């Protein structure tokens, strides 16, 4: 039979309690550190979400501001040559929409009056739109942002029966989308 002294049993018991206490203290420290790291990660994610939302709001505000502007360039009968007034109008437009988000598309829509046939007017409205788009590209709006469309004599702005109405229908409208 093995006999243990009172001292050796006390030391053994003390070591056992320390070992249990140390594991318990380790577990508690590990748990606290894990909670701290999880909280830091949660706070970081919330900060990133808030930053993304702020960027979206700023982009939307810039788009809303820029969307208030449009340019209209008028042309002579049968022509796709931009006049001096048209160049000024396009320059003004580019300055107004400079703060729009880069993902914003610029619609360049060409129109014609009822003079000439449908095929001629379709080609003319597209050529006018391309001429305006080329100038916008020269002014710094990348062609990748330009959406060019020709509508011939469809969607008239005024009555084609009168000379003044036809003048208003020979146009290219530039807007944001």
């Amino acid at each position: 039979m093995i006999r243990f002294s009172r001292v050796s049993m006390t030391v053994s018991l003390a070591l056992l309690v320390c070992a249990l206490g140390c594991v318990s203290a380790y577990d508690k420290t590990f748990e606290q550190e894990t909670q701290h790291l999880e909280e830091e990660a949660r706070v970081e994610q919330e900060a990133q979400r808030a930053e993304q939302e702020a960027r979206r709001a700023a982009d939307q505000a810039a788009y809303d501001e820029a969307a208030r502007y449009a340019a209209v360039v008028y042309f002579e009968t049968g022509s796709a040559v931009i006049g001096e007034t048209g160049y000024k109008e396009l320059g003004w437009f580019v300055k107004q929409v400079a703060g729009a988000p880069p993902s914003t598309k610029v619609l360049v829509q060409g129109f014609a009056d009822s003079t000439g046939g449908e095929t001629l007017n379709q080609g003319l409205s597209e050529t006018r739109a391309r001429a305006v788009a080329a100038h916008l590209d020269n002014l710094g709006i990348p062609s990748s942002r330009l959406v060019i469309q020709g509508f011939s004599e469809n969607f008239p702005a005024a009555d084609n029966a009168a000379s003044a109405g036809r003048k208003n229908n020979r146009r290219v409208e530039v807007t944001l989308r």
Side-chain angles (χ1 to χ4, degrees), residues 1-40:
M1 180 182 241
I2 301 176
R3 297 192 80 181
F4 293 99
S5 70
R6 198 176 199 42
V7 172
S8 69
M9 284 184 67
T10 305
V11 169
S12 295
L13 187 58
L15 287 172
L16 181 61
V17 169
C18 178
L20 290 175
C22 291
V23 170
S24 186
Y26 171 79
D27 287 343
K28 186 175 183 180
T29 302
F30 179 79
E31 182 65 30
Q32 287 173 341
E33 188 61 26
T34 301
Q35 288 175 351
H36 176 72
L37 291 173
E38 288 172 349
E39 178 64 17
E40 282 183 347

Side-chain angles (χ1 to χ4, degrees), residues 132-154:
V132 168
H135 187 65
L136 291 171
D137 187 37
N138 289 339
L139 292 176
I141 296 179
S143 59
S144 61
R145 291 179 59 191
L146 301 173
V147 178
I148 302 167
Q149 298 172 309
F151 290 104
S152 184
E153 59 191 77
N154 299 314

Side-chain angles (χ1 to χ4, degrees), residues 34-51:
T34 301
Q35 288 175 351
H36 176 72
L37 291 173
E38 288 172 349
E39 178 64 17
E40 282 183 347
R42 187 185 63 74
V43 168
E44 178 68 23
Q45 286 176 342
E46 285 179 12
Q48 288 175 350
R49 268 194 297 265
E51 184 178 320

